[in-house]
Amino acid sequence: MKLQRKTGLRATALGALAVSGALVLTACGSDDNTGSPDGGKKTGATSSIKCDGAKGQLLASGSSAQKNAMDLWVKNYMAACPGVEINYKSSSSGEGIIAFNQGRVGFAGSDSALKPEEVAESKKICKSGQGINLPMVGGPIAIGYNVPGVKDLVLDAPTIAKIFNDKIKKWDDPAIAKLNPGAKLPSTPIQAFHRSEDSGTTQNLGKYLGKAAKADWPYEAEKKWPAPGGQAASGSSGVAAQVKQVEGAIGYFELSYAESQSIPAVQIATGAPAPVPATSENASKAIAAAKVKGTGKDLALELDYATKAEGAYPIVLVTYEVVCDTGNKADTLGTVKSFLTYTASDEGQKVLAEAGYAPIPAEINAKVRETVNGLS
């Protein structure tokens, strides 16, 4: 278990938000005895959590990119609602959707919206409805690197594409040197790491490269890693661990993994006046321009991966909680609604920045709350 490191930017954005630096990200429960059984009405960080209808155990699984946010949410929620257990298994978006469509979990986390065939499959479980996407977690996908002596590394989309497509093989390549004048780049071989399993994080990186570096990334944006070469690791945590350990390594993972392990992240040259660092605030600027492309109760978003807006970090993901719009299991419906009501609340969204994520824009989040309230 790791404490999340606060940066000055995040501290400024949070202002007076009372989230203790001693909070430990854990999904195994809490020794906080301040919770109350009367609907979760209490003072402190979990004061707005309402436990109405929540009971027993709720199983969920999926996206590893949202694990650190989910762990913090679970800790706060279970502290406020004694007797309720939320068990989120961090695996991958693909595995989460499979578990959901097999009826093994109350909701799934996915960094990519459901495909049409996955929606069709969900109708077998959501007897009177179908699976829908609720955007709950936003954030930057950090491109972490391990090149001793090199700070504030700048890369652009074509260069990132060539690195992960096994076209650029050494750190002193002219393309990298051009973007980093004055940097002492070693001739160390590049060790590129990617996800071994189907991953929404992989798909979102592919969407970015496909939009911003079309000539150098000829692959469809899929959850399975498409390019030759490189080395595979399991989960965002596995990729981050490899980058941390291997000199010359580069990989992609949600920002909180970079921060918790002190892995430097690439600044992206987008065509804006200055390269853009991977921060929650900069990711929020990109996510704020997202548009809802889903229909009905589905709130899948369309992101602008090729943005050149000043200060907008372009490699972003939005993690969805996948639920049935109608036809949810009666024994877990109350807990699903109660828990997701908290995660979509002002308090639930504010703690995201504490964990290196970006809150969902208010206008979109208002629709999420309305949809959660109407789940049946």
Side-chain angles (χ1 to χ4, degrees), residues 215-370:
D216 300 295
W217 194 255
Y219 310 106
E220 294 294 325
E222 298 291 346
K223 294 177 182 176
K224 184 177 180 62
W225 182 255
Q231 302 175 60
S234 178
S236 292
S237 59
V239 175
Q242 290 298 317
V243 172
K244 177 73 172 179
Q245 295 168 10
V246 178
E247 186 171 329
I250 189 170
Y252 58 94
F253 31 80
E254 199 279 327
L255 179 62
S256 66
Y257 291 92
E259 293 186 330
S260 65
Q261 298 191 47
S262 299
I263 300 171
V266 168
Q267 298 182 36
I268 307 298
T270 63
V276 185
T279 69
S280 298
E281 294 77 18
N282 292 343
S284 291
K285 292 177 183 178
I287 295 172
K291 295 179 172 55
V292 175
K293 66 176 181 179
T295 58
K297 295 182 179 179
D298 185 83
L299 298 176
L301 301 179
E302 183 175 357
L303 298 166
D304 181 8
Y305 294 96
T307 180
K308 295 182 180 179
E310 185 172 3
Y313 184 81
I315 318 176
V316 293
L317 61 76
V318 169
T319 291
Y320 301 94
E321 311 310 341
V322 176
V323 296
C324 297
D325 54 0
T326 62
N328 289 278
K329 294 181 180 178
D331 58 341
T332 57
L333 174 60
T335 309
V336 168
K337 291 182 68 172
S338 173
F339 181 65
L340 296 185
T341 294
Y342 162 59
T343 63
S345 69
D346 286 340
E347 289 183 9
Q349 289 291 298
K350 282 179 181 177
V351 301
L352 289 179
E354 180 70 12
Y357 295 90
I360 298 299
E363 183 178 349
I364 296 171
N365 197 43
K367 297 178 181 178
V368 173
R369 295 179 193 177
E370 181 182 354

Side-chain angles (χ1 to χ4, degrees), residues 36-350:
S36 61
D38 59 348
K41 296 177 181 178
K42 52 174 281 186
T43 60
T46 53
S47 60
S48 72
I49 296 177
K50 296 182 179 180
C51 310
D52 303 335
K55 59 182 180 180
Q57 183 185 64
L58 172 63
L59 300 179
S61 69
S63 166
S64 65
Q66 72 167 355
K67 177 186 184 297
N68 293 335
M70 188 60 69
D71 285 350
L72 187 52
W73 280 334
V74 166
K75 179 183 174 68
N76 289 349
Y77 183 85
M78 288 173 55
C81 301
V84 180
E85 180 183 356
I86 311 293
N87 188 335
Y88 181 83
K89 179 184 177 182
S90 172
S91 51
S92 69
S93 299
E95 292 174 73
I97 291 173
I98 289 172
F100 177 77
N101 279 341
Q102 291 178 345
R104 294 189 279 116
V105 295
F107 71 88
S110 176
D111 305 328
S112 295
L114 293 168
K115 295 179 180 179
E117 59 268 28
E118 292 169 337
V119 173
E121 186 73 14
S122 73
K123 294 179 181 180
K124 298 175 183 177
I125 297 300
C126 309
K127 299 298 184 182
S128 58
Q130 65 181 43
I132 57 172
N133 304 284
L134 300 178
M136 201 69 71
V137 182
I141 299 173
I143 306 296
Y145 66 97
N146 182 345
V147 185
V150 177
K151 297 182 179 179
D152 302 322
L153 182 69
V154 176
L155 297 176
D156 58 13
T159 306
I160 294 170
K162 291 173 185 175
I163 288 173
F164 282 107
N165 200 22
D166 204 30
K167 301 297 185 183
I168 292 179
K169 300 179 184 292
K170 291 190 176 183
W171 280 107
D172 60 355
D173 187 275
I176 300 176
K178 184 178 180 180
L179 291 164
N180 296 273
K184 294 182 179 180
L185 297 168
S187 59
T188 307
I190 293 174
Q191 306 284 340
F193 286 89
H194 57 263
R195 292 282 289 274
S196 59
E197 72 286 350
D198 286 2
S199 162
T201 310
T202 293
Q203 188 171 37
N204 279 279
L205 176 64
K207 289 178 180 178
Y208 162 70
L209 294 176
K211 292 288 187 181
K214 295 179 182 179
D216 300 295
W217 194 255
Y219 310 106
E220 294 294 325
E222 298 291 346
K223 294 177 182 176
K224 184 177 180 62
W225 182 255
Q231 302 175 60
S234 178
S236 292
S237 59
V239 175
Q242 290 298 317
V243 172
K244 177 73 172 179
Q245 295 168 10
V246 178
E247 186 171 329
I250 189 170
Y252 58 94
F253 31 80
E254 199 279 327
L255 179 62
S256 66
Y257 291 92
E259 293 186 330
S260 65
Q261 298 191 47
S262 299
I263 300 171
V266 168
Q267 298 182 36
I268 307 298
T270 63
V276 185
T279 69
S280 298
E281 294 77 18
N282 292 343
S284 291
K285 292 177 183 178
I287 295 172
K291 295 179 172 55
V292 175
K293 66 176 181 179
T295 58
K297 295 182 179 179
D298 185 83
L299 298 176
L301 301 179
E302 183 175 357
L303 298 166
D304 181 8
Y305 294 96
T307 180
K308 295 182 180 179
E310 185 172 3
Y313 184 81
I315 318 176
V316 293
L317 61 76
V318 169
T319 291
Y320 301 94
E321 311 310 341
V322 176
V323 296
C324 297
D325 54 0
T326 62
N328 289 278
K329 294 181 180 178
D331 58 341
T332 57
L333 174 60
T335 309
V336 168
K337 291 182 68 172
S338 173
F339 181 65
L340 296 185
T341 294
Y342 162 59
T343 63
S345 69
D346 286 340
E347 289 183 9
Q349 289 291 298
K350 282 179 181 177

